[in-house]
């Protein structure tokens, strides 16, 4: 036993003896038995020392023929547990050491399972620190390997699954998605020589759309596969480079670049505390074998985790709950989220529009341009700062041939939006692949209240919204203030905009379609079970749908809200500051009718149709840069509320019930392009004659801002 562990054991023994109070002199641990009584108002425990029949040794607190409290159990093969016990069961905080020199210190659950948070140190120096479920790494955790490699990210059933970062000793590192211990999904590999690959992975290798770039700025975009027959793409030299990597074979990525990027396996651990026999009196079964008592869940299955009343079980599919609460009696009927929208394939009424849009974006983003500085001249924001490009089907000097009809393409303030994409850390190649890759866009089933249509990229990263001419004017007017605001506040909750464009079809109609490209708030590895659009008004703010008809894609409103969201202290104070900053900005720009879009992922609650495991939506390709930040992937609690009707006045925030759910929450401020113009003033005057003026959405921006903040700060509270 190493010196550090010996000192920990001695300290624990001293704590046990001290907690027992005054007693007679204690004999050596190797004596058959010594008992000292300790009186307590609620319990009567003893300090015992036992040499058991098979040679195992127990020393510690004892109650009703079981270890109960603090105690040490030493097996004859050299393994030892020092920690908390409950009715003969290893449960609580403790330290387990193996004869090999490996140790685990942390949480144990019923049955002696390593379950909760803890640190495992292997005999050869590998260390895992993080969450466990049923003796397996599961949840958030870090692993350092004996060879110097390091992993930080999500685990599931003992393997890297979810989002994570792996760094090799030589400085290479991968950031992105994992499945079953290998790269799978969307991710970025960066080498210490400055090269990098961004794109899709499958079974640990690039597969699908991706970009390989060199340190000098040149890059290769294409479809990747280890099979050379499936590999195809285009090389783009950097400005000022000649020749460069034209002779480079894309297959070198598989045979050369990835040859020294192997993921080190975790050391296999056998003989966990949950698998060991406790040779204690009172734990004998009918067959005469010694075993520990096991708790069962309400359906009679062995419980994977414990609670005081034993009324819930844990399926091991999710990471452990944040905090100490797990919902025991879920009142929610959740449906499995499905991929949203209709794929725009050939024959769809908007198929040609989608092709035009993709051609235009590819041209706009790929067009050579000087390196943009974040310090922009005022002329860059001029509404007249726009670029028209003609796209004939046969192609031109600046545009490729294409199968669509002839159209004209307009870029509004291209320098500003290039700077915004840089400010939001959007890689140009990734952006182009998401919007213009081989995968089609998806059209949402119905237009919004404004009549705008919405489209999603196949990887769910970006949303495209059609705009009216008046909205474009408002956006261009507020663009300087918007740029200044998002640059000043990194955690801003207002919508992130990446481009503003227009397609004008040729022919008799001369139809113009204006659209803006935005970030999708709900792009995450967590499926969204509930979504709310919150304004703080009551008139028309209900969907009037029964619970059975609510889909994960249904956007509920203020009067449908039946939760209060409890944020951790540090997040809550930053949230309040940022909402104030964002509302001040929108008020100054004379904007109203915006809302807080909120998405909830309920942890540990299975969906009713079981078509998709809770917390796992395999089709999502997640931006590896979207780690937990304000409004993104945030652990929180949702407290159920119930409304009490008072006359005819609807209650905006219900009464708390004390029933809590562990959630991952997403939120952001959307629809920020509605100016308080003459039409909104007339709408306010008309509705104010018929309804309570404070209940309607169309109000002066100052009043709107105050009402919005008051409501949001009553719905989001500090978790105490």
């Amino acid at each position: 036993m190493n010196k550090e562990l010996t000192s920990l054991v001695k300290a624990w023994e001293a704590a046990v003896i001290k907690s027992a109070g005054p007693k007679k002199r204690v004999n050596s641990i190797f004596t058959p038995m010594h008992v000292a009584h300790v009186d307590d108002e609620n319990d009567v425990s003893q300090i015992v020392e036992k040499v058991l029949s098979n040679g195992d040794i127990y020393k510690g607190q004892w109650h009703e023929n079981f270890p109960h409290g603090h105690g040490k159990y030493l097996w004859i093969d050299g393994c030892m547990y020092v920690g908390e016990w409950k009715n003969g069961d290893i449960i609580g905080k403790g330290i387990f050491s193996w004869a090999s020199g490996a140790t685990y210190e942390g949480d144990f659950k019923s049955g002696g399972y390593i379950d909760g948070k803890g640190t495992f140190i292997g005999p050869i120096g590998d260390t895992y620190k993080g969450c466990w479920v049923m003796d397996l790494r599961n949840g958030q955790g870090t692993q350092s390997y004996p060879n110097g490699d390091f992993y930080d990210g999500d685990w599931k059933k003992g393997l890297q699954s979810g989002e994570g970062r792996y760094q090799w000793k030589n400085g290479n590192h991968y950031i992105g998605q994992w499945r079953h211990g290998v790269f799978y999904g969307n991710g970025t590999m960066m080498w210490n020589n400055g090269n990098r690959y961004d794109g899709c992975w499958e079974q640990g290798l690039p597969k699908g759309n991706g970009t390989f770039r060199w340190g000098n700025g040149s890059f290769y975009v294409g479809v990747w596969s280890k099979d050379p027959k499936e590999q195809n793409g285009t090389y783009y030299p950097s400005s000022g480079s000649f020749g460069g990597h034209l002779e480079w074979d894309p297959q070198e990525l598989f045979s050369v670049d990835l040859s020294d990027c192997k993921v080190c396996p975790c050391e296999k651990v056998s003989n966990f505390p949950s698998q060991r026999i406790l040779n204690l009196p009172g734990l004998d079964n009918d067959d005469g074998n010694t075993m520990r008592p096991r708790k069962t869940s309400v359906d009679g299955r062995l419980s994977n985790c414990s609670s005081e009343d034993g009324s819930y079980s844990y399926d091991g599919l999710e990471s452990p709950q944040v905090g100490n609460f797990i919902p025991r009696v879920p009142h929610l009927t959740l449906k499995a989220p499905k991929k949203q929208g209709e794929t725009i394939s050939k024959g769809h009424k908007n198929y040609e529009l989608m092709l035009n849009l993709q051609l235009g974006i590819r041209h706009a983003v790929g067009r050579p341009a000087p390196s943009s500085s974040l310090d922009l001249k005022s002329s860059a924001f001029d509404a007249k700062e726009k670029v028209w490009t003609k796209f004939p089907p046969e192609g031109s000097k600046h545009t490729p041939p294409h199968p669509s009809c002839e159209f004209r393409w307009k870029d509004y303030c291209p320098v500003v939006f290039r700077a915004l994409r840089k400010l939001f850390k959007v890689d140009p190649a990734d952006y182009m692949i998401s919007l213009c890759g081989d995968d089609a866009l998806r059209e949402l089933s119905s237009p919004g209240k404004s009549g705008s249509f919405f489209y999603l990229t196949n990887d769910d990263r970006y949303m495209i919204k059609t705009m009216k001419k008046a909205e474009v004017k408002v956006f261009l007017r507020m663009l300087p203030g918007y740029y200044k605001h998002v640059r000043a506040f990194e955690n801003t909750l207002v919508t992130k905009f990446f481009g503003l464009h227009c397609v004008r079809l040729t022919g008799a109609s001369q139809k113009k379609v204006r659209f803006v490209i935005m970030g999708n708030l709900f792009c995450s590895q967590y499926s969204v079970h509930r979504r709310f659009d919150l304004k703080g008004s009551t008139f028309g703010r209900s969907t009037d749908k029964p619970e059975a008809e609510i889909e994960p894609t249904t956007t509920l409103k203020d009067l449908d809200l039946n939760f209060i969201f409890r944020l951790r202290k540090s997040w809550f104070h930053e949230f309040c500051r940022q909402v104030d900053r964002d509302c001040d900005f929108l008020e100054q720009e004379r904007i109203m009718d915006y809302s807080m879009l909120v998405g909830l992922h309920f942890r540990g609650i299975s969906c009713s149709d079981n078509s998709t495991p809770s917390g796992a939506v395999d089709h999502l390709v997640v931006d590896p840069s979207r780690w937990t930040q304000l409004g993104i992937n945030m652990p929180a609690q949702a407290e159920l509320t119930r409304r009490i009707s008072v006359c005819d006045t609807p209650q905006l925030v219900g009464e708390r019930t004390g029933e809590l759910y562990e959630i991952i929450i997403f939120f952001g401020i959307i629809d920020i392009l509605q100016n308080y113009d003459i039409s909104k003033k007339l709408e306010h005057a008309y509705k104010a004659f018929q309804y309570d003026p404070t209940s309607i959405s169309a109000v002066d921006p100052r009043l709107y801002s105050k009402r919005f903040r008051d409501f949001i700060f009553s719905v989001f509270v500090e978790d105490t």
Side-chain angles (χ1 to χ4, degrees):
M1 194 183 304
N2 58 50
K3 293 181 179 179
E4 184 180 0
L5 187 59
T6 303
S7 64
L8 284 170
V9 171
K10 288 181 177 179
W12 199 292
E13 287 182 358
V16 172
I17 295 170
K18 185 177 180 181
S19 68
K23 59 186 179 298
K24 298 178 182 179
R25 179 177 173 272
V26 179
N27 296 327
S28 166
I29 191 172
F30 296 102
T31 59
M33 184 173 181
H34 179 82
V35 178
H37 292 275
V38 179
D39 294 328
D40 186 88
E41 291 181 3
N42 302 314
D43 195 11
V44 178
S45 60
Q46 307 164 333
I47 296 296
V48 303
E49 298 178 359
K50 291 178 179 288
V51 176
L52 305 169
S53 59
N54 67 342
D56 293 353
I57 299 171
Y58 175 79
K59 177 181 178 179
Q61 292 178 298
W62 192 268
H63 178 59
E64 293 184 354
N65 213 27
F66 289 118
H68 187 81
H70 297 281
K72 175 177 69 173
Y73 193 104
L74 179 64
W75 284 266
I76 195 170
D77 63 1
C79 293
M80 183 174 65
Y81 171 77
V82 182
E84 297 175 351
W85 298 74
K86 185 175 182 180
N87 298 326
D89 204 1
I90 294 175
I91 180 171
K93 301 283 186 182
I95 303 172
F96 187 89
S97 62
W98 286 261
S100 64
T103 62
Y104 168 81
E105 180 175 2
D107 296 329
F108 292 83
K109 292 288 177 70
S110 179
Y113 286 101
I114 293 176
D115 199 309
K117 290 186 177 180
T119 300
F120 172 83
I121 302 175
I124 55 176
D126 56 316
T127 301
Y128 172 81
K129 184 176 183 180
C131 297
W132 299 75
V133 171
M134 296 285 286
D135 293 337
L136 295 174
R137 298 165 174 84
N138 202 98
Q140 181 70 26
T142 61
Q143 173 79 46
S144 59
Y145 299 88
N147 65 354
D149 293 355
F150 181 80
Y151 173 81
D152 179 9
D154 297 329
W155 298 76
K156 185 177 289 187
K157 298 185 179 180
L159 295 172
Q160 298 95 332
S161 288
E163 286 195 50
R165 173 177 63 89
Y166 191 99
Q167 183 162 335
W168 286 265
K169 184 180 180 180
N170 61 9
N172 298 344
H173 61 282
Y174 169 86
I175 301 175
Q177 287 190 297
W178 297 68
R179 186 187 294 177
H180 306 318
V182 296
F183 316 143
Y184 201 112
N186 199 60
T188 298
M189 176 73 76
M190 287 169 275
W191 286 267
N192 54 20
N193 61 6
N195 295 346
R196 62 183 282 171
Y197 169 83
D198 302 87
C200 298
W201 298 76
E202 190 173 300
Q203 300 301 333
L205 296 173
K207 179 75 172 178
N209 289 324
T211 301
F212 186 90
R213 61 178 67 252
W214 289 266
N216 66 358
S218 55
F219 59 94
Y220 173 93
V221 181
V223 177
W224 296 79
S225 174
K226 197 172 183 180
D227 182 355
K229 295 178 182 178
E230 298 177 0
Q231 176 80 44
N232 66 80
T234 306
Y235 172 77
Y236 294 89
S238 63
S239 56
S241 67
F242 300 95
H245 306 277
L246 289 174
E247 302 301 321
W248 176 77
D249 182 0
Q251 290 296 301
E252 288 184 18
L253 175 60
F254 300 92
S255 59
V256 179
D257 297 270
L258 292 174
S259 61
D260 60 347
C261 295
K262 306 298 182 185
V263 176
C264 187
C266 295
E267 182 188 356
K268 298 290 184 181
V269 180
S270 59
N271 208 357
F272 282 97
S274 59
Q275 300 167 317
R276 301 189 67 83
I277 297 298
L278 297 178
N279 191 47
L280 295 170
L283 296 185
D284 296 337
N285 65 4
D286 295 338
D287 300 326
N289 297 321
T290 53
M291 59 186 297
R292 61 173 48 85
R294 298 292 299 277
K295 295 185 179 178
T296 58
S297 62
V298 289
D299 60 3
R301 295 176 296 180
L302 288 178
S303 177
N304 294 352
C305 75
S306 63
S307 70
E308 293 180 2
D309 60 7
S311 62
Y312 61 86
S313 63
Y314 182 69
D315 61 10
L317 293 175
E318 281 258 280
S319 56
Q321 304 301 319
V322 181
N324 300 318
F325 184 86
I326 300 174
R328 289 195 288 268
V329 188
H331 288 85
L332 298 174
T333 302
L334 299 177
K335 297 182 180 179
K338 295 178 175 60
K339 203 159 186 173
Q340 193 176 4
E342 176 191 358
T343 300
I344 304 177
S345 54
K346 198 164 187 178
H348 191 283
K349 63 178 181 179
N350 288 325
Y351 179 70
E352 284 200 348
L353 177 63
M354 181 192 74
L355 292 181
N356 298 345
L357 186 153
Q358 291 179 320
L359 283 166
I361 292 174
R362 189 180 292 117
H363 171 76
V365 177
R367 185 171 53 230
S371 179
S372 60
S373 167
L374 295 180
D375 297 318
L376 302 180
K377 297 179 180 178
S378 58
S379 58
F381 297 93
D382 193 327
K384 297 178 181 178
E385 188 70 17
K386 49 197 173 187
V387 178
W388 278 103
T389 306
K390 188 176 181 181
F391 280 79
E394 66 275 10
S396 67
K397 183 179 179 181
H398 302 289
T399 62
H402 60 86
S404 182
C405 61
E406 181 175 317
F407 68 96
R408 295 189 69 191
W409 172 267
K410 183 196 290 188
D411 280 323
Y412 294 91
C413 301
V415 175
V416 177
F417 286 102
R418 193 178 299 119
L420 281 171
R421 293 193 292 271
K422 183 177 180 180
L423 184 66
F424 294 139
K425 299 179 176 58
V426 174
D427 182 85
D430 280 347
Y431 185 72
M432 195 186 304
I433 290 170
S434 290
L435 289 159
C436 314
D438 293 340
D439 296 317
L441 302 177
R442 306 197 312 274
E443 183 178 73
L444 300 193
S445 56
S446 60
K449 187 177 178 182
S450 64
S452 299
F453 283 86
F454 292 86
Y455 303 91
L456 276 172
T457 57
N458 191 64
D459 60 10
D460 285 349
R461 284 194 191 182
Y462 303 105
M463 182 174 285
I464 300 166
K465 176 189 176 185
T466 61
M467 300 180 72
K468 296 178 180 178
K469 186 176 182 180
E471 288 181 304
V472 172
K473 286 184 176 180
V474 171
F475 191 17
L476 292 175
R477 174 186 61 75
M478 65 182 287
L479 190 57
Y482 173 83
Y483 182 82
K484 182 180 178 181
H485 180 76
V486 298
R487 188 179 178 188
F489 302 111
E490 184 180 4
N491 283 334
T492 181
L493 298 174
V494 298
T495 305
K496 290 180 170 61
F497 295 111
F498 303 112
L500 181 62
H501 312 283
C502 176
V503 170
R504 188 172 77 181
L505 304 178
T506 56
S509 66
Q510 294 285 303
K511 179 183 176 183
K512 286 184 179 180
V513 181
R514 303 169 183 85
F515 57 91
V516 64
I517 302 173
M518 310 175 289
N520 179 18
L521 183 64
F522 297 151
C523 177
S524 170
Q525 78 272 30
Y526 297 106
S527 50
V528 175
H529 298 124
R530 283 285 187 274
R531 56 188 72 197
F532 296 92
D533 182 272
L534 306 176
K535 294 185 177 183
S537 57
T538 57
F539 179 73
R541 300 299 296 162
S542 158
T543 56
D544 295 325
K545 277 193 174 185
E547 180 75 21
E549 294 181 15
I550 296 176
E551 301 287 340
T553 55
T554 302
T555 301
L556 303 172
K557 299 180 182 179
D558 302 66
L559 294 179
D560 304 310
L561 181 66
N562 56 343
F563 294 104
I564 286 175
F565 308 118
R566 295 164 55 156
L567 306 183
R568 295 176 183 177
K569 182 176 181 180
S570 57
W571 283 120
F572 176 72
H573 293 305
E574 176 59 25
F575 169 79
C576 292
R577 284 192 294 267
Q578 195 57 55
V579 169
D580 280 334
R581 293 164 181 159
D582 291 339
C583 287
D584 286 343
F585 159 67
L586 295 172
E587 185 180 330
Q588 290 168 8
E589 295 292 337
R590 301 290 292 165
I591 300 297
M592 42 75 68
D593 214 22
Y594 46 87
S595 56
M596 180 76 79
L597 182 64
V598 179
L600 308 179
H601 167 83
F602 290 89
R603 309 182 74 178
I605 300 179
S606 299
C607 299
S608 59
D609 58 7
N610 294 321
S611 61
T612 305
S614 177
V617 179
D618 292 339
H619 76 265
L620 284 180
V621 179
V622 184
D623 184 348
S625 67
R626 288 168 69 102
W627 301 100
T628 300
Q629 62 190 74
L630 188 66
I632 301 292
N633 290 341
M634 285 180 57
Q637 288 185 327
E639 181 176 358
L640 193 67
T641 62
R642 289 190 178 91
R643 285 184 173 80
I644 301 173
S645 298
V646 180
C647 300
D648 295 328
T649 305
Q651 189 179 14
L652 200 52
V653 181
E655 301 295 329
R656 299 189 186 190
T657 65
E659 184 174 327
L660 301 176
Y661 296 89
E662 294 293 340
I663 60 171
I664 301 294
I665 191 168
F666 307 81
F667 50 81
I669 299 175
I670 63 168
D671 293 338
I672 64 168
L673 301 180
Q674 180 57 61
N675 191 34
Y676 192 57
D677 55 16
I678 186 63
S679 65
K680 286 295 176 181
K681 291 177 181 178
L682 290 172
E683 180 185 340
H684 172 79
Y686 174 74
K687 289 182 177 179
F689 276 114
Q690 306 175 64
Y691 309 103
D692 179 0
T694 62
S695 71
I696 59 180
S697 295
V699 295
D700 180 85
R702 285 174 296 178
L703 176 58
Y704 192 94
S705 174
K706 182 181 184 307
R707 185 180 65 187
F708 178 81
R709 289 188 231 200
D710 290 344
F711 174 62
I712 292 301
F713 292 151
S714 67
V715 171
F716 288 81
V717 300
E718 182 180 343
D719 185 4
T720 56

